[in-house]
Amino acid sequence: MIAKVCKESKLAQFFNKLLEEYDIIAPKKKKNLYEFSEVNDFREVALDYSTTILPPKKYLIPQKENLLRFVKGEITSEEPQLKKKQVIFGIHACDLNAFLLLDKVFMDKFPCPRYVKRRENLITIALTCINPSDTCFCESIGTGPTPSKGYDLLLTKINENYYLIESGSETGEKLIKLVEGKEASSKELEEKNKVIELTKQKFKRRIYVDNLPELIQKNLNHELWRLLGEVDLACGQCVLSCPTCYCFDVKDELNLSLDSGIRYKEWDACFLLEFAEVALGGNFRKDRSARVRQFMGHNLGWGGALQYDVFNGELKCVGCGRCIKTCPVGIDITEVAAVIKGEKSVSEVTAIKNILTNVGEKNARSI
Amino acid sequence: MQDPYELNECVIKKIRFETKDTNTYTLAFPNDLIIPEEEFKPGRFILLSIFGFGEAAFSLSSLIQNGTFETTIRKVGNFTQKLHSCKEGDKLYMRGPYGEGWPIDKAEGKDILLVAGGIGLAPLRPVILHIAKNRSKYGRLEILYGARTPNDMIFTSEFETWRKIPNSILRLTVDAVPRGVKWNYKIGVVPILFEDMETTPDNAIVMTCGPEIMMHFVVKGLIAKGFSEDQIYVSLERRMKCGIAQCGHCQVGKKYVCKDGPVFAYSEIKGLPDLTI
């Protein structure tokens, strides 16, 4: 590992050097919120951001992606056309850990050539989070506020003017040479730990992992699911805003003469009614309560390391808090975990309190 | 890197009419056999494609022989309706076979009890064919089969051949017999056949396939008769979009029907969410 320290102005210079060679995606301010977007100027980058509205997963698994092309009986595999290497600049630990989980799904057993191509084309420059939002809880899961692996470079703002830059891969070691700065001292590395400690104190929500997967499995008939099913709108926003939700549908699209077309995949959500349909109108998750349970169960229970090795302690949830922020009725995954662990009663859950006191709409969280 | 969505061409060699809504398709590869024979294990499934109508999962209803195999398909929706309009000689696309099949190796030396409901007999037919081919390796074969009416039974033309497999028995039942139809067997849902069943739990493996609610009562009935949860294997039905444990559609708790199944020991899936078994 190589570590350097530089002023923000030098970081800007480094950014400009990267721009000459790569496409850069970075957090950008959008009104009072943030989004990942292509950036052409360092001044557009919001390095003090909390969480972006949507996760950066679309850069690895686009919302819609062609799989096959069919032209008059000839079928060819479709691959993404990538001209330049991409850099994701300023990705937080939660989203970076989400990439590592997605890697397990799309690169382990049956590697998807499209995903692999995008992933290998992506350079990750991570950023230690110093500004968690009130819905964040990565710290309790161990997926933030700073990443421990999976980055090429890691930036940490260690005081008003200086950034610590650490390499985490061979690519990172090459890139760090472009940074004009001095080698980091042990004191400066210590500064980073102070920043992390200070950030940790800012978190308002938590989920302690310990035996949560087993408890979810044991509580499949908990009354919590029934009550959440009554509040839930089945809008699927939590799934779309989740950095690790990867489920998709596969569809065909033909031209009018029916002799050519494409087969594509498209994001899908377990919260939607049609998701679990089978033949003859059967549906094994017809009730909303079952669909709430599936989303929560996959994130906190059986999604550990995405089924390939269940219950190894790693949750599918990375604690970004987007599902809480986006839920129109205030369903909060940390409260779900608290109820399952017996730390909270069902009637204390915000979304349920809303229906119990019959003021659901009035108290509902805005999107 | 091979694209998991890559398709293989296959041709409909023969279509056999089973019931008013179910056909058995013999499929062949127009070129040389590109998929190794050992991939076609009883209980595994393939994804068939018709461009514009998508893909759907179907179980193998025969073993592979001279580069051809069979799949038995009931008309239940958009895709299968289109498939039923296909003719012999038409070209289809497929990928697979995928999944974990019936435990035919583990079943060696044991009595085999097959319990099927309706089209659920289709994925069990390769087991019957495998046992007939390797008769000395297995104990008694007992097949319990039920359908809605005698007209809904599939593979009826093969029943006599199956009855002639040494040390085997075929027991039949239907939910109802329409007026004018001759029926010499039982009337009632599948578990009614347990009354005469000869297979005992001592040294047996059970394989069951049919509607989930039928399998629920089959499992319950067998456990009451002393069969253990890991002796009973079920085959689950879920709609699959990828077949390789990525799209999430067939997820049942921690299991993926496409990768971990479709065949599971009952003990493996007991207690998972969203199941009626």
Side-chain angles (χ1 to χ4, degrees), chain A residues 264-288:
Chain A
Y264 64 94
K265 62 183 245 192
E266 188 174 49
W267 290 0
D268 204 351
C270 60
F271 253 103
L272 307 179
L273 177 64
E274 302 80 9
F275 187 83
E277 264 180 2
V278 288
L280 294 171
N283 192 327
F284 61 94
R285 279 200 288 271
K286 213 169 197 158
D287 297 331
R288 286 182 190 195

Side-chain angles (χ1 to χ4, degrees), chain B residues 64-273:
Chain B
I64 191 157
Q65 211 172 10
N66 303 326
T68 69
F69 65 97
E70 289 172 323
T71 177
T72 301
I73 296 170
R74 190 171 152 199
K75 191 161 49 172
V76 290
N78 206 18
F79 182 90
T80 47
Q81 190 147 2
K82 175 69 187 165
L83 191 67
H84 272 244
S85 73
C86 288
K87 294 176 214 60
E88 289 178 0
D90 282 357
K91 197 162 82 174
L92 296 172
Y93 294 94
M94 69 157 276
R95 55 194 180 99
Y98 292 124
E100 290 292 324
W102 300 108
I104 46 163
D105 296 334
K106 203 178 151 193
E108 282 185 15
K110 293 182 178 162
D111 292 338
I112 313 289
L113 174 66
L114 306 181
V115 190
I119 196 165
L121 184 59
L124 287 168
R125 181 168 167 252
V127 178
I128 300 170
L129 299 175
H130 177 83
I131 293 173
K133 211 171 150 188
N134 302 277
R135 192 63 197 100
S136 60
K137 287 187 182 170
Y138 298 90
R140 183 201 293 122
L141 169 66
E142 185 163 12
I143 306 164
L144 313 181
Y145 179 41
R148 280 177 301 180
T149 72
N151 295 336
D152 292 302
M153 293 203 142
I154 55 173
F155 309 132
T156 44
S157 61
E158 291 168 51
F159 287 177
E160 277 319 302
T161 323
W162 295 356
R163 285 194 173 104
K164 282 179 196 144
I165 300 171
N167 195 15
S168 70
I169 188 156
L170 171 67
R171 300 183 193 277
L172 304 173
T173 183
V174 289
D175 298 352
V177 182
R179 217 173 262 213
V181 175
K182 214 179 121 198
W183 184 250
N184 297 327
Y185 307 95
K186 287 238 172 183
I187 296 176
V189 289
V190 175
I192 206 170
L193 296 170
F194 292 164
E195 289 169 5
D196 306 322
M197 184 173 79
E198 286 166 42
T199 311
T200 56
D202 312 331
N203 184 36
I205 285 270
V206 187
M207 304 178 202
T208 178
C209 185
E212 222 163 90
I213 192 71
M214 177 212 96
M215 293 194 282
H216 167 81
F217 287 107
V218 165
V219 169
K220 218 169 145 182
L222 291 173
I223 286 173
K225 284 194 169 287
F227 287 85
S228 68
E229 288 170 357
D230 54 6
Q231 249 175 322
I232 307 169
Y233 287 80
V234 301
S235 182
L236 297 183
E237 181 218 358
R238 291 290 184 269
R239 200 168 275 179
M240 295 152 190
K241 303 288 181 170
C242 70
I244 50 173
Q246 291 177 352
C247 77
H249 282 263
C250 70
Q251 203 180 15
V252 185
K254 62 184 177 181
K255 303 281 185 192
Y256 277 101
V257 173
C258 69
K259 177 180 77 77
D260 305 310
V263 173
F264 295 94
Y266 175 65
S267 54
E268 259 186 286
I269 54 157
K270 189 191 170 196
L272 292 182

Side-chain angles (χ1 to χ4, degrees), chain A residues 65-120:
Chain A
E65 177 176 39
N66 291 350
L67 299 172
L68 303 169
R69 185 166 296 275
F70 168 80
V71 183
K72 290 177 184 161
E74 283 296 308
I75 297 171
T76 44
S77 207
E78 284 272 290
E79 289 221 356
Q81 300 302 317
L82 304 169
K83 289 185 192 106
K84 266 185 170 180
K85 269 213 161 199
Q86 274 188 325
V87 170
I88 185 155
F89 190 94
I91 183 173
H92 280 165
C94 54
D95 289 334
L96 188 67
N97 276 298
F99 280 5
L100 302 182
L101 282 162
L102 293 176
D103 290 351
K104 286 191 179 152
V105 182
F106 294 107
M107 285 171 80
D108 257 18
K109 303 258 157 134
F110 295 95
C112 173
R114 286 157 286 274
Y115 182 92
V116 173
K117 204 167 171 185
R118 284 205 175 82
R119 189 66 169 106
E120 286 173 350

